Amino acid sequence: QQQVKQSPQSLIVQKGGISIINCAYENTAFDYFPWYQQFPGKGPALLIAIRPDVSEKKEGRFTISFNKSAKQFSLHIMDSQPGDSATYFCAAMEYGNKLVFGAGTILRVKS
Amino acid sequence: GAGVSQSPRYKVAKRGQDVALRCDPISGHVSLFWYQQALGQGPEFLTYFQNEAQLDKSGLPSDRFFAERPEGSVSTLKIQRTQQEDSAVYLCASSLAPSAGGSFGYTFGSGTRLTVV
């Protein structure tokens, strides 16, 4: 049972463009929604996170948009750079501990 | 250390062999988590410790998997009688807070890549 569905599987964006990754969830008990960035051979690193009482959160070039009624959230990367090329995971957490991850999006930013 | 340290980085095991994977969390971090990441997939939860207490082991795939954190710091994930389907990257994460949401989040280690041949 895939509790968090992520799309697209892969994404190619030109340098300076906007990268958009989408996620949808089923469990309305989820109350914390982080995005992680993972480079090859490394563990996931927290990028940005949001709680469902907020519709948008921006940190630098990264923005999360959250639609509670639709049970969807997305990551926007503005002014995408080649160094942003990585795998991105959305995730969700019910109060407590364990994260449920999406399947990941491989982002490639072409210079 | 500054981050979560896992060892070994790579492990090749023959099918049926027992393996032990080590995690050194960030000093003072209360919560410790193990995740399994299959190739091309997102991490999947295995188990969770708060200090030395294992509070959730619902993600352990079989009774061949066992985790411990006897003194509330270093943790070991043991897999007995390894099978090919156990091949994956095993990630450890730690968090300062008893529950890992909110502003604390997780810090992941780089993982141990286990290959069962």
Side-chain angles (χ1 to χ4, degrees), chain A residues 32 38 41 43 51 96-99, chain B residues 9 35 37 58 99 102 106 109:
Chain A
Y32 175 68
Q38 187 175 32
R51 290 209 178 272
N97 46 63
K98 60 188 174 188
L99 283 168
Chain B
R9 286 298 315 276
Y35 282 77
Q37 186 174 22
S58 62
S99 66
Y106 286 15

Side-chain angles (χ1 to χ4, degrees), chain B residues 27-59:
Chain B
S27 178
H29 275 200
V30 170
S31 299
L32 185 144
F33 308 82
W34 285 98
Y35 282 77
Q36 180 190 59
Q37 186 174 22
L39 187 65
Q41 299 296 316
E44 292 194 359
F45 172 82
L46 293 177
T47 187
Y48 159 57
F49 290 86
Q50 188 177 118
N51 296 307
E52 68 278 4
Q54 189 174 21
L55 299 186
D56 187 342
K57 55 182 181 179
S58 62

Side-chain angles (χ1 to χ4, degrees), chain A residues 76-89:
Chain A
H76 291 61
I77 306 174
M78 311 300 287
D79 187 27
S80 300
Q81 299 297 313
D84 296 331
S85 297
T87 301
Y88 292 80
F89 293 97

Side-chain angles (χ1 to χ4, degrees), chain A residues 1 43 59 63 82 93:
Chain A
Q1 180 188 1
E59 291 183 0
T63 300
M93 179 188 289

Side-chain angles (χ1 to χ4, degrees), chain A residues 64-108:
Chain A
I64 300 179
S65 298
F66 189 86
N67 186 330
K68 187 174 181 178
S69 60
K71 293 187 285 186
Q72 295 175 347
F73 59 111
S74 60
L75 175 69
H76 291 61
I77 306 174
M78 311 300 287
D79 187 27
S80 300
Q81 299 297 313
D84 296 331
S85 297
T87 301
Y88 292 80
F89 293 97
C90 62
M93 179 188 289
E94 193 173 345
Y95 179 79
N97 46 63
K98 60 188 174 188
L99 283 168
V100 178
F101 284 84
T105 296
I106 300 171
L107 171 64
R108 179 181 162 210

Side-chain angles (χ1 to χ4, degrees), chain B residues 60-99:
Chain B
L60 296 176
S62 76
D63 59 7
R64 297 186 295 104
F65 286 71
F66 172 76
E68 60 183 5
R69 192 187 186 197
E71 297 179 358
S73 56
V74 171
S75 178
T76 303
L77 176 67
K78 298 179 180 178
I79 308 173
Q80 296 177 323
R81 304 181 304 280
T82 52
Q83 304 294 315
Q84 282 191 318
E85 61 263 28
D86 300 334
S87 296
V89 174
Y90 290 84
L91 294 165
C92 177
S94 69
S95 173
L96 184 61
S99 66

Side-chain angles (χ1 to χ4, degrees), chain A residues 3-5 15 26 31 36-37 40 46-47 50 62-63 78 84-85 87-88 90-91 93 96 98 102 108:
Chain A
Q3 294 193 61
V4 178
K5 295 184 179 180
K15 179 181 175 182
E26 294 294 326
D31 68 350
Y36 284 85
Q37 179 189 57
L46 179 66
L47 261 182
I50 199 168
F62 301 94
T63 300
M78 311 300 287
D84 296 331
S85 297
T87 301
Y88 292 80
C90 62
M93 179 188 289
K98 60 188 174 188
R108 179 181 162 210

